[in-house]
Amino acid sequence: MAKEKSIYVCSECGGTSAKWLGKCPSCGAWNTLIEQAAGGANAPANNRFGTQFASLAGASELAVLSEIEASDVARTPTGLDELDRVLGGGVVAGGVTLIGGDPGIGKSTLLLQAVDALQRAGQNALYVTGEESGAQVALRSKRLGLDHSQVQVLAEIQLEKIIATLDATRPAIAVIDSIQTVYSDQLTSAPGSVAQVRECAAHLTRFAKTSGTAVVLVGHVTKEGALAGPRVLEHMVDTVLYFEGDTHSSFRLVRAIKNRFGAVNEIGVFAMTERGLKGVANPSAIFLSQHTEPVPGSVVLVTLEGTRPMLVEIQALVDDGGPSPRRLSVGLDRDRLAMLLAVLHRHAGVACMDQDVFVNAVGGVRISEPAADLAVMLAITSSLRGKPLPKGFIAFGEVGLAGEVRPAPRGQERLREAAKLGYSIAVVPRANAPRKGSKDIEGLTIHAVDRIEEAMDVVRELE
């Protein structure tokens, strides 16, 4: 097969050049020319993507939306409950999933366990490794206790050979580990370059859609934690998963950033053991410290991760800071912490201007939702006064700049989760309290507040 010609396309204006130049000849922008396959001798360069993806959707007639039959997508469970939760119920035929994470976090381990479980359930599975040899994959399989695994393994990085193997075997699921190591003969750039990653991902996506094979792409991440390669990679695929967690901790989080077949921001919690990753049925236990007695500066927050309510401990430490006090938060937004301290001073009369304020979300979890505001402010106040909150205390709610406490989404589910785990006292926004005439949540005393001052008064009465 003759190597196809490549061209260089400007990412700013779309202009083309036969060779790489530092400056685009069309718009004058610097360092914007990116190598792309020409798509044939007579094919116009600007139409390459149109011809490449022309067959993905197939030919269809014009139809009215209300007349189109909506049917649920069939899913195949992977056998790992936490992974199925993140995927929305299981693997979808023809779906393309991109999973990224830091080196050594457990991506290959998790996917090897998943394809082995699918193989044992009768699904033909193929594991394509570009970073390891077949012997290394077999060694990992033995270490994970996957005895007599029938998963097919291919150690290859050339795209054309990979697609030829996929076309010949037609597996139900194929894992490409990793997309940064795969290269196409159509391009002269090195594996891992923007052009190679985009081109290889596009061809694998096209194969998945036309053949019905579920394809899982493993992606590297940059120093900033984002997926390496072009952002268009995330737009090509159906599902984007991020592997989170500290390599020094035994717990891992898999978070869905994009999912065309399920809920986004859904998380799965795993524990790294000698036999691989095991799902954690009750993740709230990870993020709660086991204090024998209540301690100052500790408040339990009921946060929402996707569709799952979880209990997370928020810890605050307020100490003398001198002329240049520090504001530091781990797992929470630092700018939001500064805003909450200003609201605390203005509307509740609690001043921390000359104090160091440190806030931490226990367990390494990252909390981005504003429903953590009330718990953070109560933890800061508790640490400043040196008085612990009562045992079995939880709080959640967003706090505005005017001092009002706003409701959090799905408040009743949060309260039921707290009651199920034995918590007995809750300070929540009034809109999240059970309505009159509705069934009370057994074992939970709920204090509904409208403003941050009311929340402070309630806490003082409870001490």
Side-chain angles (χ1 to χ4, degrees):
M1 178 180 177
K3 180 184 292 186
E4 295 188 17
K5 293 183 179 180
S6 61
I7 59 171
Y8 294 85
V9 180
C10 177
S11 59
E12 295 291 333
C13 68
T16 61
S17 173
K19 61 180 181 178
W20 187 87
L21 300 171
K23 183 178 181 181
C24 174
S26 300
C27 67
W30 288 92
N31 297 323
T32 57
L33 292 179
I34 299 174
E35 184 186 17
Q36 293 181 358
N42 300 321
N46 291 337
N47 290 337
R48 184 179 66 85
F49 286 109
T51 57
Q52 180 171 308
F53 290 99
S55 61
L56 293 190
S60 60
E61 299 290 336
L62 191 66
V64 179
L65 180 61
S66 61
E67 297 176 356
I68 300 175
E69 182 181 356
S71 57
D72 292 333
V73 181
R75 304 174 188 276
T76 304
T78 62
L80 305 176
D81 293 339
E82 291 297 304
L83 182 59
D84 289 338
R85 171 191 286 272
V86 179
L87 291 173
V91 177
V92 177
V96 183
T97 302
L98 175 65
I99 180 166
D102 294 328
I105 200 76
K107 302 184 296 295
S108 300
T109 299
L110 178 66
L111 292 175
L112 189 58
Q113 290 179 247
V115 294
D116 181 75
L118 285 166
Q119 181 70 46
R120 294 176 191 273
Q123 302 288 328
N124 188 17
L126 174 63
Y127 191 94
V128 180
T129 173
E131 300 182 347
E132 299 174 313
S133 65
Q136 289 174 304
V137 176
L139 186 62
R140 176 186 288 120
S141 174
K142 185 177 180 180
R143 189 173 66 248
L144 297 176
L146 307 178
D147 299 326
H148 308 294
S149 177
Q150 299 301 307
V151 174
Q152 299 178 81
V153 178
L154 174 66
E156 183 57 65
I157 61 174
Q158 186 180 356
L159 175 69
E160 287 74 19
K161 292 182 179 179
I162 292 173
I163 291 184
T165 304
L166 290 173
D167 193 36
T169 58
R170 291 297 174 106
I173 181 171
V175 174
I176 311 297
D177 187 7
S178 67
I179 187 63
Q180 271 81 14
T181 62
V182 180
Y183 76 96
S184 172
D185 279 340
Q186 297 179 10
L187 300 175
T188 58
S189 54
S193 64
V194 171
Q196 287 283 10
V197 169
R198 178 171 54 190
E199 195 73 20
C200 294
H203 279 85
L204 289 167
T205 300
R206 180 183 182 185
F207 175 82
K209 299 302 180 185
T210 54
S211 67
T213 296
V215 174
V216 180
L217 308 177
V218 178
H220 294 169
V221 295
T222 61
K223 292 180 180 179
E224 293 76 23
L227 280 166
R231 288 303 300 267
V232 72
L233 202 61
E234 296 186 15
H235 299 295
M236 285 181 188
V237 302
D238 300 309
T239 306
V240 179
L241 306 181
Y242 272 88
F243 229 116
E244 301 175 0
D246 189 353
T247 53
H248 302 292
S249 171
S250 62
F251 297 106
R252 306 284 190 270
L253 300 181
V254 179
R255 187 186 302 273
I257 303 300
K258 170 189 175 182
N259 195 348
R260 289 176 179 156
F261 306 115
V264 295
N265 285 328
E266 192 70 71
I267 70 164
V269 184
F270 294 89
M272 181 64 81
T273 67
E274 293 180 354
R275 290 301 182 111
L277 290 161
K278 305 293 182 184
V280 178
N282 182 20
S284 295
I286 303 172
F287 308 116
L288 297 176
S289 296
Q290 302 299 324
H291 302 297
T292 54
E293 292 295 332
V295 296
S298 175
V299 176
V300 175
L301 160 72
V302 188
T303 185
L304 202 65
E305 293 288 351
T307 60
R308 167 185 283 180
M310 286 198 314
L311 274 67
V312 178
E313 183 179 357
I314 303 296
Q315 292 181 338
L317 176 62
V318 181
D319 198 10
D320 292 334
S324 300
R326 299 181 64 194
R327 306 285 188 258
L328 182 63
S329 61
V330 179
L332 297 122
D333 186 10
R334 187 178 303 179
D335 293 335
R336 195 161 189 88
L337 172 61
M339 184 191 78
L340 295 178
L341 288 172
V343 174
L344 202 58
H345 179 214
R346 180 66 178 269
H347 298 286
V350 178
C352 299
M353 283 137 0
D354 58 345
Q355 305 285 318
D356 286 337
V357 180
F358 305 96
V359 179
N360 177 40
V362 173
V365 66
R366 296 188 185 95
I367 299 174
S368 57
E369 67 164 349
D373 292 351
L374 186 58
V376 171
M377 296 173 83
L378 294 178
I380 292 170
T381 307
S382 171
S383 177
L384 181 65
R385 300 176 63 200
K387 293 186 177 181
L389 291 160
K391 192 173 184 179
F393 180 91
I394 61 110
F396 62 85
E398 179 184 355
V399 179
L401 290 177
E404 77 279 11
V405 180
R406 298 178 178 178
R410 299 171 66 180
Q412 299 301 305
E413 292 184 29
R414 299 177 194 240
L415 292 172
R416 281 193 289 269
E417 179 72 12
K420 185 175 70 175
L421 294 174
Y423 287 81
S424 56
I425 305 171
V427 174
V428 299
R430 191 170 300 279
N432 288 135
R435 299 179 182 274
K436 291 183 178 180
S438 62
K439 185 178 179 181
D440 292 335
I441 299 175
E442 186 177 354
L444 192 61
T445 302
I446 300 172
H447 300 273
V449 296
D450 289 314
R451 297 189 58 78
I452 186 62
E453 308 95 286
E454 295 178 37
M456 296 299 170
D457 293 338
V458 169
V459 169
R460 291 188 185 98
E461 293 174 2
L462 292 173
E463 290 176 349

